[in-house]
Amino acid sequence: MENLHTTYLGLKLRNPLIAGSCGLTNSLSNIKELAKKGVGAVVIKSLFEEQIHIEAEKVIKNNTDGVSTFSHAPDTILSKRIYDYDEAYSYIYDFAKRNTLGKYLYFLNEAKKNVDIPVIASINCVSNQDWHSFSKKIEETGVDALELNIYILPSDWRRSGEDNEKIYYDIIREVRNYVNLPVSVKIGYYFSSLAQSIKKLSECGIKGLVLFNRPYNTDIDIEKMELSHGPIYSTSEEFTHTLRWISILSGHVGCDLSASTGVHDHKAFIKQLLAGATTVQIASALYKEGFDVIPEILRGTSAWMKRHDFNSIDSFRAKLSKSNLENPAAIERVQFMKLYSGIE
Ligand SMILES: Cc1cc2nc3c(=O)[nH]c(=O)nc-3n(C[C@H](O)[C@H](O)[C@H](O)COP(=O)(O)O)c2cc1C
């Protein structure tokens, strides 16, 4: 095997392949298996702010004389009716919070004790409420870093881009004030000026940005005439969007870049590194191909490095980032002109 060592968020990794946060990183046996198969690090399934609210709703539901007070609550963070019970709710919310967080902290502790690769915790925040104190407790488990999974869908036409972005900065500031852990932020691509926003985020004292989270998407079932869910897993063609942005941003941001979405084999893995990624995260490939995809990616990468005479990741990383391209405009091309695509 060639030398695949790298540094991400200030942590030493045996290689840049990371098991991204997903349902498979939610079990100790899986985490041990992922480490055994060779990943450089693992990001634990996110603790969702929303999950705590749902737990609180469940407790309230079970304590209202069998009457399902909130059974028709929409699938949002807080049902509106819940505010009628302000005091009771805040008591129960506190209980649910301690309970849900307690389970997560226990799991992080176990994960850390059982593998010798870096373990990265992940929390999904939709507000800056509570996260600073949660983060402190997460730090105390001994995990190596914290990934903030923040995804604001800018669907509220009353909120400006600035309003939405402020949430990111507020969360990052709060968390950074409380922990010494390296912090990374995982984002989607809904920013009005993506390159500028990412640059600004990268200069907020975080150590890494994960580009991009692939959101849960909705679809429409035309027979039942109702909403269903879109494809849960990415396909191997989906890597190009991330590739473009890693290439554009590499060398221009103040932190590491971790590529996420659509990496299913060693070719896509190598492409993200050539574009400038510090590390690459995979999730769908683990579900679709199984954990053996890890040694396959690592072996394929080693063989490719050998063929091209590269003896370390650093010797080829960012070789094809925008700044290093002879024709940088090519990475920004978005129109199908026949001249470039060969298609009318
Ligand atoms: C079933 C499933 C669960 C996921 N859960 C989380 C999560 O809890 N937190 C998170 O940050 N990302 C989560 N993700 C997103 C993945 O980490 C990843 O960013 C996304 O799937 C794109 O990468 P991929 O193409 O390798 O799947 C999940 C993805 C899947 C498929």
Side-chain angles (χ1 to χ4, degrees):
M1 217 30 120
E2 309 303 293
N3 170 15
L4 302 183
H5 287 101
T6 199
T7 303
Y8 174 58
L9 312 178
L11 308 166
K12 292 212 176 325
L13 270 56
R14 59 183 163 176
N15 66 65
L17 182 61
I18 296 179
S21 176
C22 66
L24 297 172
T25 60
N26 210 9
S27 107
L28 198 54
S29 58
N30 278 347
I31 290 171
K32 287 203 251 180
E33 191 60 18
L34 288 164
K36 206 164 123 197
K37 293 285 180 189
V39 286
V42 61
V43 187
I44 306 296
K45 171 81 185 162
S46 302
L47 171 66
F48 290 87
E49 186 174 343
E50 191 174 356
Q51 194 178 324
I52 292 169
H53 292 288
I54 292 169
E55 292 294 325
E57 291 201 9
K58 260 199 240 156
V59 176
I60 291 179
K61 197 167 129 192
N62 292 339
N63 285 286
T64 45
D65 300 318
V67 180
S68 175
T69 319
F70 303 109
S71 60
H72 303 297
D75 194 15
T76 54
I77 296 169
L78 279 179
S79 73
K80 200 173 170 307
R81 292 178 64 191
I82 228 155
Y83 287 115
D84 299 344
Y85 301 81
D86 251 359
E87 222 170 287
Y89 181 75
S90 80
Y91 176 79
I92 289 166
Y93 176 78
D94 263 5
F95 170 80
K97 187 170 72 181
R98 277 198 305 274
N99 197 30
T100 311
L101 181 64
K103 282 188 209 155
Y104 191 69
L105 296 174
Y106 177 78
F107 182 67
L108 293 180
N109 232 303
E110 288 295 295
K112 197 53 209 150
K113 275 196 288 195
N114 278 279
V115 291
D116 54 9
I117 53 169
V119 173
I120 302 172
S122 166
I123 52 181
N124 166 260
C125 327
V126 290
S127 72
N128 71 348
Q129 185 192 353
D130 294 331
W131 288 116
H132 46 284
S133 57
F134 285 16
S135 309
K136 189 79 209 151
K137 293 205 165 67
I138 285 172
E139 180 169 43
E140 284 160 11
T141 65
V143 289
D144 301 277
L146 174 63
E147 190 173 281
L148 304 175
N149 161 14
I150 318 177
Y151 205 115
I152 315 277
L153 195 76
S155 55
D156 184 342
W157 38 264
R158 290 161 305 187
R159 295 180 65 83
S160 68
E162 251 174 28
D163 292 339
N164 287 327
E165 284 184 26
K166 186 172 178 304
I167 301 174
Y168 290 81
Y169 299 120
D170 287 351
I171 294 171
I172 293 169
R173 195 184 46 252
E174 282 289 306
V175 170
R176 284 210 55 249
N177 276 343
Y178 276 80
V179 297
N180 296 313
L181 272 180
V183 173
S184 61
V185 180
K186 183 177 189 182
I187 58 170
Y189 36 76
Y190 293 116
F191 290 84
S192 52
S193 184
L194 189 57
Q196 190 184 63
S197 300
I198 287 179
K199 188 162 167 48
K200 273 170 72 184
L201 283 171
S202 79
E203 289 160 359
C204 279
I206 58 174
K207 296 265 188 245
L209 273 161
V210 185
L211 313 178
F212 296 98
N213 202 344
R214 180 178 182 275
Y216 171 92
N217 283 310
T218 45
D219 193 358
I220 288 179
D221 183 322
I222 59 168
E223 295 310 323
K224 291 186 188 156
M225 295 230 270
E226 61 184 32
L227 281 188
S228 57
H229 62 73
I232 301 284
Y233 306 122
S234 67
T235 65
S236 57
E237 284 89 45
E238 287 180 47
F239 71 89
T240 52
H241 181 72
T242 297
L243 189 72
R244 184 203 298 270
W245 285 102
I246 294 280
S247 176
I248 290 173
L249 295 159
S250 170
H252 296 284
V253 290
C255 69
D256 294 338
L257 295 175
S258 187
S260 162
T261 295
V263 175
H264 288 241
D265 55 27
H266 74 275
K267 291 183 183 163
F269 178 70
I270 294 166
K271 289 175 196 181
Q272 300 291 3
L273 297 170
L274 280 169
T278 313
T279 56
V280 180
Q281 304 199 4
I282 56 167
S284 295
L286 296 170
Y287 283 96
K288 285 165 103 169
E289 332 293 342
F291 291 3
D292 280 339
V293 75
I294 297 162
E296 279 165 27
I297 291 177
L298 297 174
R299 269 199 304 267
T301 305
S302 277
W304 175 87
M305 285 170 66
K306 203 170 185 155
R307 272 203 316 281
H308 291 269
D309 236 0
F310 292 125
N311 55 16
S312 69
I313 298 286
D314 281 341
S315 59
F316 70 91
R317 180 184 281 120
K319 225 176 161 30
L320 294 179
S321 68
K322 184 185 167 192
S323 319
N324 292 328
L325 290 176
E326 261 177 47
N327 174 15
I331 199 80
E332 300 203 14
R333 190 161 293 135
V334 287
Q335 300 296 341
F336 289 95
M337 276 167 63
K338 190 174 179 200
L339 179 64
Y340 304 118
S341 67
I343 295 170
E344 197 68 70

